[in-house]
Amino acid sequence: MNSKISFRDVVKTFPLKDTTFTALDGVDLHIADQEFVTVVGPSGCGKSTLMNMAAGLEVPDSGDVLVDGKPVLGPGPDRGVIFQQYALFPWLTVRQNVEFGLKLADLPAEERRRRAEGAIALVGLSEFADALPKTLSGGMKQRCAIARAYAVDPQVLLMDEPFGALDALTRVQLQDQLLETWSQEKRTVLFITHDVDEAVYLASRVVVMAAGPGRVRQVIDVDLPYPRTEEIRLSAEFRRIRNEVWTSVYHQDAPASAA
């Protein structure tokens, strides 16, 4: 397997008042090009730290974080990052928010407009291109944030609980929207979540982390076809995989089986 993202024996600690906290300890994980991988685990297992290192926002104490075989030395346009908080500029329209990164990249106005409109259409916000964020629902704001990440044409999408603050119905709708967009664009996705159902529904593989210190406990294949549908979500096979992931996350006193 040619890895798009690789974590090789990654260790990360943070200083505390009188000691240190080991967020990640010896993490090995390889994600293939165009693969959709979700990461779940208990609080303190290092999920967000893992993503922040792939984004170049944190550096490992030891080990390597690689994208396309090259060390991650900082943020870059090859990686789009989407957080739970939308981080939209309230004084800019949807189109202007989506164009913001393109403007920083010094692209000509005509090219910025073309890319922004394509990304906005991809997430179904064309009718709201001239709207300000205050007029949008939470789900629409997150779709705007996703469009902004897509506009700069990243090879990798790094998503840290992007739907965590949304109501259940909106969350399901955005899961379907994200998968539809991914099926068209086929970028590599690393998606952090605390929701087991979401992890299984989206991914081709679910990485279950263990805490104290953070490490990969189990990697579970999701042998369900794309496109994912409500029928799949209600299927016996989905429930079986979901139960396996749930047990691995919430019953960590028991040994994990290899997958």
Side-chain angles (χ1 to χ4, degrees), residues 31 34-38 157 159 182 187-191:
I31 299 170
Q34 301 185 0
E35 189 177 15
F36 200 126
V37 169
T38 55
L157 277 182
M159 311 182 77
W182 173 75
R187 303 177 198 275
T188 305
V189 180
L190 176 60
F191 188 107

Side-chain angles (χ1 to χ4, degrees), residues 10-128:
V10 168
V11 175
K12 180 64 180 178
T13 61
F14 293 99
L16 298 178
K17 185 176 180 181
D18 298 315
T19 183
T20 59
F21 169 71
T22 302
L24 296 171
D25 186 20
V27 169
D28 282 291
L29 178 63
H30 303 278
I31 299 170
D33 188 28
Q34 301 185 0
E35 189 177 15
F36 200 126
V37 169
T38 55
V39 180
V40 292
S43 179
C45 69
K47 298 188 297 292
S48 293
T49 302
L50 195 74
M51 197 210 75
N52 286 339
M53 287 196 293
L57 303 174
E58 298 278 1
V59 296
D61 296 342
S62 63
D64 299 298
V65 181
L66 310 170
V67 173
D68 284 329
K70 300 175 182 177
V72 174
L73 302 176
D78 59 328
R79 285 153 287 139
V81 184
I82 302 167
F83 297 101
Q84 182 172 324
Q85 300 303 320
Y86 323 117
L88 301 177
F89 297 109
W91 60 90
L92 299 180
T93 66
V94 166
R95 181 185 290 107
Q96 290 167 336
N97 266 285
V98 174
E99 285 189 13
F100 186 80
L102 304 174
K103 195 171 184 179
L104 291 179
D106 207 26
L107 266 65
E110 185 176 333
E111 177 67 7
R112 294 201 306 265
R113 179 84 173 214
R114 183 189 69 79
R115 284 209 202 178
E117 290 187 348
I120 291 167
L122 199 62
V123 300
L125 283 180
S126 295
E127 293 182 28
F128 301 90

Side-chain angles (χ1 to χ4, degrees), residues 135-150:
T135 68
L136 305 178
S137 68
M140 292 165 73
K141 289 176 184 176
Q142 194 58 283
R143 282 154 65 190
C144 181
I146 292 170
R148 182 175 56 190
Y150 267 103

Side-chain angles (χ1 to χ4, degrees), residues 136-208:
L136 305 178
S137 68
M140 292 165 73
K141 289 176 184 176
Q142 194 58 283
R143 282 154 65 190
C144 181
I146 292 170
R148 182 175 56 190
Y150 267 103
V152 297
D153 198 26
Q155 300 172 28
V156 171
L157 277 182
L158 305 168
M159 311 182 77
D160 191 1
E161 300 197 22
F163 308 147
L166 304 174
D167 65 85
L169 177 59
T170 302
R171 187 170 190 148
V172 167
Q173 291 170 338
L174 282 192
Q175 290 167 6
D176 288 335
Q177 174 75 59
L178 176 61
L179 286 182
E180 182 180 349
T181 303
W182 173 75
S183 69
Q184 296 177 52
E185 298 289 315
K186 286 293 183 177
R187 303 177 198 275
T188 305
V189 180
L190 176 60
F191 188 107
I192 309 299
T193 181
H194 63 269
D195 186 288
V196 169
D197 286 67
E198 180 171 75
V200 174
Y201 186 70
L202 293 174
S204 56
R205 288 191 299 154
V206 177
V207 177
V208 178

